[in-house]
Amino acid sequence: MKPIALPSGKKVFFASDNHLGAPDREASLPREKEFVRWLRAIEDEAAAIFLLGDLFDFWFEYKTVVPKGFTRVLGALAHLSDRGVPVYYFVGNHDLWMRGYFEAELGVPVFHKPQVFEIGGKRFFIGHGDGLGPGDKGFKRMKKVFTHPLAQWLFRWLHPDIGVRMGHYFSVKNKLISGDEDVRFLGEENEWLVQYARRKLTEAHYDYFVFGHRHLPLEIPLSPDSTYFNLGDWIGHFTYGVFDASGFRLEKHPPQSS
């Protein structure tokens, strides 16, 4: 992976788990506007922006059709890309059916697995976080079905009006499919992403592990020179990650309505 430079005065930003469209488009519209306001606020100082998945509560790309709506956030991402701000997208468990639209229309590369980046001389291990670490066997089996080429081919034969409505319904209603586990801190020894990060550290050194998925803003030291971060979400926390010359930290975006 090509290293990302960090010029003086610039920062790299990280955000995850917006779940736009949940519980419905009307309810998520204020959150979409807040996220776009944040993107506009950071664009001048951003050396790069990482979006770590579940931007949408359900997303499926047909050959010539994508879900209706989300015009504001898609336009904001296109604007950033056109300005030359690198934006990197990692699929989550709600929007893992991305197949080229972001790359072709927005100029945003999409990753389906965790990746290693060197940013400002530091090694980052970055991903959404679903299906990693021990446990969660039911979801891991379900994900294999969702990502199987035959299952995706069959789903594409559904009319988009039926397929998108069905996908959105189950995404909201079914906890196994949505991955909407109880949002509570399990303790360092029981957080499965922390266990996963510690195991990866036995293979190679990483300064920072950055994940989403858990919907909890977390900062957990793994060793004297390695730290695990979870970004939280843009539903209740409105938190995001910032990396600059002083290191990595979590910050909070204050919604205008608060």
Side-chain angles (χ1 to χ4, degrees):
M1 188 64 63
K2 182 179 179 180
I4 297 176
L6 194 62
S8 177
K10 291 287 187 176
K11 303 175 182 178
V12 177
F13 295 89
F14 301 76
S16 182
D17 292 276
N18 304 70
H19 290 266
L20 298 178
D24 53 48
R25 286 194 176 93
E26 291 71 25
S28 73
L29 181 58
R31 293 189 286 109
E32 181 181 8
K33 290 181 177 179
E34 286 296 341
F35 189 64
V36 169
R37 186 166 71 90
W38 175 71
L39 290 173
R40 289 173 176 167
I42 67 172
E43 66 177 283
D44 288 335
E45 58 183 348
I49 299 172
F50 286 80
L51 303 179
L52 270 55
D54 286 354
L55 177 61
F56 312 105
D57 200 58
F58 176 75
W59 180 272
F60 187 93
E61 293 180 16
Y62 292 83
K63 187 174 181 179
T64 58
V65 175
V66 296
K68 181 180 179 180
F70 318 118
T71 305
R72 292 169 181 82
V73 72
L74 293 174
L77 295 179
H79 170 71
L80 288 166
S81 179
D82 289 347
R83 279 200 59 181
V85 179
V87 180
Y88 303 94
Y89 195 88
F90 289 74
V91 304
N93 50 303
H94 286 249
D95 50 16
L96 54 86
W97 300 278
M98 290 191 168
R99 287 296 182 269
Y101 181 77
F102 268 39
E103 293 94 332
E105 295 297 325
L106 308 180
V108 173
V110 173
F111 303 100
H112 291 260
K113 294 180 180 179
Q115 301 290 321
V116 177
F117 279 79
E118 181 181 317
I119 307 173
K122 300 293 184 179
R123 279 173 58 86
F124 283 72
F125 191 94
I126 303 170
H128 180 65
D130 60 308
L132 302 179
D136 208 9
K137 294 181 180 179
F139 170 74
K140 290 177 181 177
R141 288 193 295 268
M142 190 68 71
K143 186 174 180 179
K144 288 183 179 180
V145 174
F146 292 158
T147 57
H148 196 282
L150 177 60
Q152 296 186 19
W153 180 82
L154 291 171
F155 191 87
R156 282 194 176 93
W157 282 99
L158 291 174
H159 189 283
D161 286 350
I162 298 173
V164 172
R165 180 175 295 181
M166 180 186 299
H168 179 71
Y169 174 82
F170 283 111
S171 183
V172 172
K173 297 297 182 181
N174 191 311
K175 289 187 176 182
L176 178 61
I177 294 177
S178 71
D180 186 22
E181 68 272 7
D182 291 336
V183 182
R184 59 188 179 87
F185 181 55
L186 302 176
E188 288 188 23
E189 298 305 317
N190 296 316
E191 284 285 337
W192 37 272
L193 279 173
V194 173
Q195 295 177 45
Y196 175 80
R198 285 179 172 151
R199 191 179 74 215
K200 295 298 291 185
L201 272 180
T202 65
E203 303 170 1
H205 172 72
Y206 303 98
D207 297 282
Y208 302 104
F209 291 84
V210 186
F211 295 108
H213 188 57
R214 286 289 283 118
H215 290 233
L216 289 172
L218 297 172
E219 177 182 353
I220 297 175
L222 303 172
S223 73
D225 55 358
S226 181
T227 308
Y228 160 88
F229 285 91
N230 199 281
L231 298 174
D233 65 23
W234 282 73
I235 301 172
H237 295 290
F238 295 89
T239 46
Y240 59 93
V242 182
F243 177 70
D244 58 17
S246 64
F248 194 103
R249 61 190 178 276
L250 294 175
E251 295 189 354
K252 184 178 178 66
H253 169 79
Q256 284 185 331
S257 58
S258 64

